[in-house]
Amino acid sequence: MVAVAPLLAPPAGATDAVAADGSEDQLFVVHDVSWEQYEAILAALGDRAGVRVTYCEGVLELMSPGGPHEGRKTILARLVETYAEEADLPLSGYGSMTVRKKLAQRGVEPDECYVLGTVEDGEIPELAIEIIEKSGTINKLSVYAGLGVPEVWFLKKGKLSIHLLGPDGYAEVGQSRLLPGLDVAGMTEFMLRKGDQTTVVRAWRARLRERGDR
């Protein structure tokens, strides 16, 4: 069985070594991990905060997000949820819940994920959001495609990209399918604003009400 403890931090001299103050994402990759070992690692980690696990066909990636990562994912989630409130949509968030399929040999814990309505045990979220601060080994779109997640957002270097799953895989588009009335460019503008999150969310809500966005 793969030992869990050594996987929680890169070894000395690793190329993905992190800043001492924890401001950068920590990323560590292990190869030749079986599905049973992956499940054992998930069970050992439990609800341990700050570790997100991705698995794809024997490759295991562990990521511990830094402060900037968590700040960006939180403000984006708050803006999305504010839009849903103003648009009267039954949006439910499930954070970094584990989504996995043994047959597909894939598993992932997104930064945020959502459905319209509620998700039952074993169901797949309709929207997954990933904040990319540091590129990993695993192709996340390949993971999400194997799991059948209909819509994936990536936030990288201040750019929000939307990917919709079709018969030939994901295609990048300019509009959300789950939230078709959402002004993506406008929301991105607010997401990048300076200042505390509550002030930004208040301004975003005011914009939505002013324009009557639905």
Side-chain angles (χ1 to χ4, degrees):
M1 181 178 292
V2 174
V4 175
L7 302 182
L8 301 183
T15 56
D16 279 332
V18 299
D21 61 2
S23 61
E24 296 182 11
D25 290 359
Q26 300 182 45
L27 187 64
F28 191 49
V29 179
V30 185
H31 296 270
D32 301 320
V33 178
S34 70
W35 181 263
E36 290 71 24
Q37 290 169 333
Y38 162 60
E39 290 196 317
I41 289 168
L42 287 179
L45 288 172
D47 294 327
R48 183 178 305 201
V51 179
R52 302 213 231 292
V53 184
T54 304
Y55 180 83
C56 184
E57 298 179 342
V59 180
L60 183 78
E61 184 178 284
L62 296 102
M63 192 270 290
S64 180
H69 182 127
E70 293 294 82
R72 292 182 184 104
K73 76 105 177 177
T74 300
I75 185 58
L76 179 54
R78 292 182 67 175
L79 294 174
V80 167
E81 290 158 14
T82 298
Y83 169 77
E85 290 174 14
E86 294 300 311
D88 198 24
L89 295 174
L91 189 71
S92 296
Y94 290 90
S96 297
M97 81 173 193
T98 302
V99 185
R100 53 184 161 164
K101 283 185 179 179
K102 183 176 182 179
L103 188 62
Q105 289 288 291
R106 282 162 169 76
V108 70
E109 294 170 344
D111 283 305
E112 298 285 349
C113 64
Y114 294 95
V115 298
L116 291 178
T118 61
V119 66
E120 304 298 332
D121 288 344
E123 289 188 7
I124 301 299
E126 296 175 83
L127 166 63
I129 298 175
E130 292 277 356
I131 311 301
I132 308 298
E133 296 288 322
K134 183 177 293 187
S135 297
T137 299
I138 295 176
N139 182 328
K140 286 290 185 74
L141 281 181
S142 172
V143 175
Y144 282 114
L147 294 170
V149 176
E151 184 169 338
V152 179
W153 295 4
F154 289 130
L155 177 65
K156 185 175 183 179
K157 296 182 179 179
K159 181 181 182 296
L160 183 65
S161 59
I162 297 175
H163 306 263
L164 299 182
L165 185 60
D168 299 318
Y170 285 100
E172 185 172 347
V173 299
Q175 190 61 50
S176 170
R177 181 187 293 157
L178 186 69
L179 307 171
L182 176 64
D183 176 5
V184 175
M187 184 185 67
T188 303
E189 172 199 334
F190 277 85
M191 181 186 63
L192 298 175
R193 285 191 178 188
K194 301 294 184 182
D196 67 90
Q197 294 178 3
T198 297
T199 298
V200 173
V201 170
R202 283 199 190 110
W204 171 237
R205 190 185 300 275
R207 168 76 69 85
L208 293 173
R209 291 179 177 179
E210 175 187 348
R211 296 187 175 185
D213 287 358
R214 293 291 187 271

